[in-house]
Each structure stands twice: as C-alpha cells, then as structure tokens.
Amino acid sequence: MASKITIPDLKKIRVTDPLFSHYAGMVAKKMIPVQWEILNGKQGQSRCFCIDNFRIAGGTLQGEHRGVVFGDTDAYKWLEAVAYCANNGETEYIPQADELIEIIGQAQQPDGYLNTYFTVCHPELRWKNLTEGHELYSAGHLIEAAVAYYNATGKRRLLDIAAKFADLICQTFGDGEGQLPGYPGHQEIELALVKLWRVTGEERYLKTARFFIDCRGRTPNYLLREMNDPNHKVIFPELRNYDPSYSQSHVRPVEQKTMEGHAVRAMYQCSAMADLADIQQDEALRNACQTLWDNVTKRRMYITGGIGSSGLLERFTVDYDLPNDRMYCESCASIGLMMFGQRMAAMFHDASYYETVERALCNTVLGGVSAAGDRYFYVNPLESNGDHHRQAWYGCACCPSQISRFLPSIGNYIYGTSDKALWVNLFIGNTTEVTIDGKKVVMKQETDYPWDGLVKLTVTSEQPLGKELRIRIPGWCKSYTLSVNGNKVDSTTDKGYTVIKEWKTGDLIVLNMDMPVEKVSADPRVRQNTGKRALQRGPLVYCLEETDNAKDFADLALTPTSSFEVKDEPDNLGGIRSIKAISNGQTLHFIPYYAWDNRKAGKMKVWIDYQE
Ligand code: FUB
Ligand code: ZN
C-alpha cells in the first residue's frame, strides 16, 4: 500500500509570491468587505437577501424568503473565505463572521435542520425535492465553512451547528428502516462530510458520504421518481424532462466511464470519490476516478482548464466538442477540477494531475476575477465578440464566493508530505512549517513563476529527515537544470517528479526551467480549432485582445516562422509578461488569457488562424 500524502496545515503556509499573494490579498482587502455589503443587501443592483433570509428563518425578521434556493451558500462561502484569510493573519472580519454565525444559529431548527428556503417557504417539503432543492448541497457548504472556521480560529460554534445538521443528515439518509435511500441532486455534501470526518474523527460522517456515492444511480432512479411524482413542486422549469445524467445519477459512480452532465456537480462528486477511494483503499472507486479523469482531461477540457462545453444546463456534451465562443467553462467548475486533481495526485503519487490543476489555476481560475478584484466571470469563453464581461455579482452568485474562498486557500496545493518524501507540486513563493515525525521542518520557495522558470527551494529541519524531495517537473517543460548548493544534480524522475535523495538541511535546491513561447495545436478531432494555434508560455495560455490589436483583428494569423519576443510589463494589468509575435510582417500583441477584459471592451480570442 502506498503511503498517504498529507497536505500541510494551511495555517502554517505563508504565501509570499508576488502574483498569488496579490490575489489572496485582494480577497481580504476587497472581496470580503464588498461581499459582506452585498450579503447584507447594501449594494445597489447586485442586491442579495442572504442574511435577511437567515433572520427570517430564525424569526428575528418578518418577511419573505428571496433569491435562489441555495442562497444560504453565499454566506457559508463568505465565512470560509474569512477563515482562510484568518489563517493568513487577516482577522479583521472575524467579528462580522461571529455575528453572522449567531444569525445562522438562530435559523437552525431544534432537530438540527438548517435551510432558509425550506424553513420559510416549504417546511412540508423538507427532503422531498432532492433533485432541485439543494438542501444537501447547502449543508455541504455549511460544513466546509464550519471546518475551515474551526481550523482557523479554534471556535466551535459553527462547527457545532454544522455537526448537528450533519447528524440529522446521517440519521435521515441511508438504507436502514425509516431512512431515505436518496442522494443530492447537486453533489457537495459528500466531500464536506469527509472533511467533517477528518476534523471530528466520527465514522458516521464518512459512512454517510460513502452512502451518498454508493446509492447514486441505483435503479429505479430516485431523482426521476421525485420528478415524476404528481405532487412534485417544480423549482427549476428548465429541468422538466429530467435527464439523470445531468446530475450524474444515470449510472452508479463506480461504473461511470465518461464525464457527463453538469460540470460542477461532476467535479464535486469526483472529488469525494477520490477522497473515499484513497481513505478506504477502494480499487473499484479508484479506477472509476482514473477513467473519469482521463475522459475529462483528454477529451472534454479546454486548453485553459475550462470544462463544460454547453451553456444549456451548464454541462458536458461529447468528446472533442469544445466550441470557443458559445460555451460555459464556469469558474466554479475549474476550481472543482483543481480539487479533483489535487486528490488524484495525492492518491496516485503522480505529478501529471498537477498539469491540469495548474492549467485551470493559471488560466480560468485567475481569469475568474478582475485585476482590481471587484468583478467576476461566471462563464469563461475562449473567444468573445466584445460583449462578455465580468460582473460584480450574479443572481446565481456561486462563482464570486467560490473564487474568494479558493484564492486564500491556494497554499493547500503547493506541498504534500508522506512517510517517504516531501512533495513539491506548485511553484508559488512561500514559507511553510510542517511537523514531520515530530520534527519541525521549514520549506521555503522563492520564484517569479509563472513568468520565469527559476525556482529556489530550501528545506530546513531540526534533525535529519531521511526523506526524498520530489519536485514536480511540469509537462510543458522540455529542458531544465537542477542543482543542490550550486552542484548540478542528475536526478531520476518518477511519475513526473524529479527525485532528490541526497540532500541535507539548509541546502539550496535550484530548479531552472526553460520557458520558451510554444505554438500549441489542438487535438485534430476538435473541429472548432482546425487550422488554428494557441500560444502558451510555461503554464500560461495567451490571447489577443482587440485593444492591443485594433487594426485587422479578424485577419491576424500565426505562421511557422512567427517570431516571439517576451516583454516584461510591470505596470500593465498588475504586472504581466506579454508576447509580441511578428508574423508575415504583422505584429500581434498577446497577453495572458487570465488578464483579459480588464481594459477597453473589445474582441478576444485564444485560438488564432495558422497560415502554413
Ligand atoms: O446549483 C448551484 C450552483 O449554481 C452550481 O454549482 C452552479 O453551476 C450554478 O448553477
Ligand atoms: Zn459558479
């Protein structure tokens, strides 16, 4: 049995990287305060009623529930973001968070149930519309927030609220007498219950997470039966003629071969499957994860790490169908893909999963928020006519709070530790403390990645560790050098990691990766990209924007002899490296895809005509 990989405690990870600490810093300085105003209904057009809904459910305010049925999750994800920022020493929103937690607590029913929509509008329909009601999805976000808040602050109030609700869920769902053999229409509770198990050690949470995976897709289909009930109360009319593949309930997860349906649902399910496969050493589940991972990353993913080719029902379509303009690529889906990939890498001890994690991160996820930290993309197209822009908030606001809970937790993706090795997965400047076998260890990375391929790493330990250092060599990297204290090392590689066996405390390990501009072609089966190329440098995908290329935007093309110049632009778009391409006498100005739509509105494209 392979040794388990553990992720260091987020509280002990200080991200010092110029790019990522800027993004994480924007969460504390801008996103959390602005979202707090929005959650409290104080932001003009982008009004949201989330906190009032809790007050109404708790009986301290009179009124009607307003907003989407899963609006409670805006508050939960806000709390999670506050918790992760507190880990980074940004604690100023803790008083508001504590206030909000009390309001949430008042909305909890005596038996532990907590959901403002059903409590206020339809108490009689509790657990009767799992397909559309999002009760278990919302519970999952409550649990994730509670675990994060407890880990960051040591305060138990939200954890107790969440655990009480989780206990009710564990009693309610199962195959036992009087229990419901149902499962959520939108997955999320499964991975949350695994987190709750990790923090409490209570087996029932793990058992119920497993139950939700195991009973999904059974025949007859539970969700279809609900939808076909003559008394069914419709919440989302677009889901009439319900196709169970939309919620990945068409077949049991362990038998799923292709990534189907709604992309965020699919990613949350797969993340939980990977958790359970690893914890329970379940080979069938592990194989299913691998099959689904291969399908999505080899056939159904954009070069930007975006997933979900159809805006209609926000879902996957078929292999190699990747339209660049009329598509979906929800920000939440790419964060979900990162969550799945992180778990796959930990389970298989294989760096290749981090190719996708990094691709999604550096392109779609960073692009999900504006350079100023005040606007968000829900949909992330690879081509625009100039009419697609980030917004401050959405009626269905899953993405803004998803991005703000994700960015300050980026430290979770950098390292792993196991019996055998220290694992370096992402190149992000940081200082991290871990205790390994009772020994205090400090890992430090300095780098200007993704702009530059030079990474300096030191590991200091009170006593010799006797472990390998395994450093990921990205798939995009075709040549690199590695040295320890200035002496070149010829290391072996294993599953995408360069393995350093001989090192001691305080050694300076330097990885230097060449980072040329690459012209990338799509798989020939992607008909939308026939005769086109995209530019990539390191993990960053580039795009053309009309504002830099006004003249003849539609006619710009790359050729086999295009030459490239990389330009450092510290004052543009928060500091980028742009690419100037000279092709047949034309000059094309490329910027990183993630930075588009931050200046004058105009057209944008990633895949560029290629004239052979
Ligand atoms: O249904 C809850 C969330 O809203 C989904 O995850 C997103 O795709 C959006 O539909
Ligand atoms: Zn979203």
Side-chain angles (χ1 to χ4, degrees), residues 388-604:
H388 184 78
H389 306 293
R390 296 182 185 85
Q391 295 181 30
W393 198 247
Y394 293 86
C396 166
C398 51
C399 295
S401 51
Q402 178 84 290
I403 290 170
S404 51
R405 79 172 178 148
F406 167 76
L407 289 172
S409 65
I410 184 64
N412 278 337
Y413 291 78
I414 304 175
Y415 297 114
T417 66
S418 70
D419 288 356
K420 179 175 156 190
L422 302 182
W423 309 74
V424 181
N425 294 313
L426 285 186
F427 305 117
I428 292 180
N430 73 89
T431 304
T432 295
E433 261 183 51
V434 272
T435 303
I436 302 174
D437 306 336
K439 299 164 196 162
K440 193 172 138 201
V441 178
V442 179
M443 301 187 271
K444 186 170 178 193
Q445 261 193 64
E446 289 172 293
T447 181
D448 201 17
Y449 196 89
W451 311 115
D452 185 277
L454 182 66
V455 181
K456 295 179 183 168
L457 179 74
T458 51
V459 182
T460 30
S461 161
E462 286 163 344
Q463 293 157 46
L465 272 182
K467 290 190 198 299
E468 298 168 350
L469 266 177
R470 293 189 157 229
I471 305 174
R472 172 176 153 255
I473 302 299
W476 59 259
C477 172
K478 302 205 171 75
S479 76
Y480 65 92
T481 58
L482 186 67
S483 68
V484 177
N485 296 330
N487 302 316
K488 194 165 171 288
V489 177
D490 288 320
S491 57
T492 54
T493 52
D494 181 30
K495 292 186 180 172
Y497 291 100
T498 188
V499 185
I500 305 178
K501 293 199 162 110
E502 303 295 326
W503 64 279
K504 57 184 187 327
T505 179
D507 281 352
L508 175 65
I509 293 142
V510 176
L511 173 65
N512 200 353
M513 297 172 277
D514 289 341
M515 205 181 253
V517 177
E518 303 274 1
K519 290 191 291 258
V520 182
S521 49
D523 186 293
R525 287 165 285 193
V526 182
R527 66 188 161 76
Q528 291 91 351
N529 296 337
T530 306
K532 295 182 194 292
R533 297 288 186 276
L535 290 192
Q536 186 172 332
R537 180 171 181 268
L540 293 173
V541 172
Y542 279 71
C543 68
L544 292 178
E545 271 201 298
E546 197 177 356
T547 185
D548 300 313
N549 300 279
K551 195 166 160 292
D552 304 330
F553 184 83
D555 301 328
L556 295 173
L558 292 166
T559 69
T561 57
S562 296
S563 62
F564 303 109
E565 189 189 318
V566 178
K567 211 169 133 203
D568 194 9
E569 298 198 55
D571 300 322
N572 192 12
L573 292 163
I576 57 164
R577 293 209 182 165
S578 62
I579 299 173
K580 186 163 102 179
I582 310 284
S583 284
N584 279 348
Q586 288 177 322
T587 304
L588 292 72
H589 294 277
F590 288 83
I591 60 160
Y593 169 76
Y594 80 77
W596 86 278
D597 192 42
N598 277 297
R599 299 169 298 167
K600 194 170 163 222
K603 297 182 182 125
M604 179 281 294

Side-chain angles (χ1 to χ4, degrees), residues 70 73 77 134 137 141 186-187 236 246 262-265 268 314 328 330 332-333 378 396-399 402:
F70 50 87
T73 60
K77 285 194 273 177
H134 286 72
Y137 166 83
H141 279 301
H186 193 316
Q187 302 86 328
F236 297 104
Y246 169 72
H262 183 270
V264 182
R265 285 167 166 82
Y268 288 178
E314 310 177 319
Y328 162 57
E330 183 181 338
C332 287
Y378 187 123
C396 166
C398 51
C399 295
Q402 178 84 290

